[in-house]
Amino acid sequence: MSGSPGFTLREARPRDAEAVLAMVRGLAAYEKLEHEVVASAQDYYGALATRRIQGLIAEIDGEAVGVCLWYETFSTFAGRAGIWVEDVFVAPEHRRHGIGLAFFRALARRAVAEGHAWMEWNVLDWNEPAIAFYRRIGAVGREEWTDQRLSGDALKALAG
C-alpha cells in the first residue's frame, strides 16, 4: 500500500506491536491521558494477530511515524457493519504532510469496498485542530450522543 511522496502506508502486523505501543503512548501524552495506558506490546501483538483490531502504519524510510487502528462494529439500525476508528496518531515532527488524510482516505476506501455503513470515532472536545480536520474531510459531530463507560469496580459489581 502506498502513501504519497515521503511516506508509505502498510497494514499493521503483529510484529509491529512495540511500534504501536509507542505511538499509542504518544497519543496518550498528547491527550494528557498517559495514566490510562496499561496495554503492553503483547496485548497489541495478540489483538493484531487475531484481528480484534486492524491497523495501518505510516513509514518514512522504514521507520514507523504514524498509526491508525480500527475494528469492525455492527449497526442493528442499518443492518450493516461499520468501522470504529479507535486511534490515529502521527508523530509531531511528521504532521502536516498528509499522513492523517492518507489514513482516513485508505480507511474510507476499505469501508466503501467492504460495504460498511460508516466510519465513526471520538475526539476530545478541546482538540480543535483535529475537529477542524474532521470537518474538512466531511465528518459530522454527533452532539446528541454521550459516551458511556462501565469499568473497574463498577463493572465487577454489575457482573457480581
Side-chain angles (χ1 to χ4, degrees):
M1 187 176 282
S2 65
S4 71
F7 69 91
T8 58
L9 298 184
R10 66 168 177 78
E11 296 289 325
R13 300 175 293 247
R15 68 178 177 221
D16 294 313
E18 290 285 347
V20 169
L21 176 59
M23 288 184 272
V24 168
R25 285 183 176 151
L27 175 62
Y30 176 75
E31 293 180 338
K32 300 168 186 67
L33 297 171
E34 301 98 327
H35 61 282
E36 290 194 18
V37 179
V38 297
S40 68
Q42 187 62 35
D43 293 326
Y44 292 114
Y45 185 95
L48 288 164
T50 59
R51 297 187 58 81
R52 280 204 134 172
I53 197 159
Q54 297 179 61
L56 292 172
I57 301 285
E59 290 184 324
I60 297 177
D61 297 326
E63 176 191 352
V65 299
V67 67
C68 175
L69 299 170
W70 74 89
Y71 52 89
E72 193 173 84
T73 61
F74 187 83
S75 168
T76 57
F77 286 15
R80 294 183 12 214
I83 291 177
W84 182 264
V85 183
E86 183 63 26
D87 287 325
V88 175
F89 179 75
V90 177
E93 63 273 21
H94 298 288
R95 292 181 185 155
R96 300 219 173 269
H97 298 288
I99 295 172
L101 180 59
F103 279 146
F104 277 91
R105 278 194 173 137
L107 203 48
R109 285 185 198 112
R110 182 180 304 243
V112 169
E114 295 177 3
H116 289 92
W118 52 62
M119 292 171 37
E120 294 183 302
W121 59 91
N122 286 336
V123 61
L124 290 166
D125 58 8
W126 56 260
N127 193 345
E128 306 240 348
I131 293 168
F133 167 72
Y134 299 146
R135 295 301 169 265
R136 283 194 306 275
I137 65 171
V140 177
R142 298 186 71 199
E143 305 299 328
E144 70 276 14
W145 293 84
T146 303
D147 290 346
Q148 304 295 304
R149 178 176 287 176
L150 188 63
S151 64
D153 290 340
L155 177 61
K156 291 174 186 171
L158 184 60

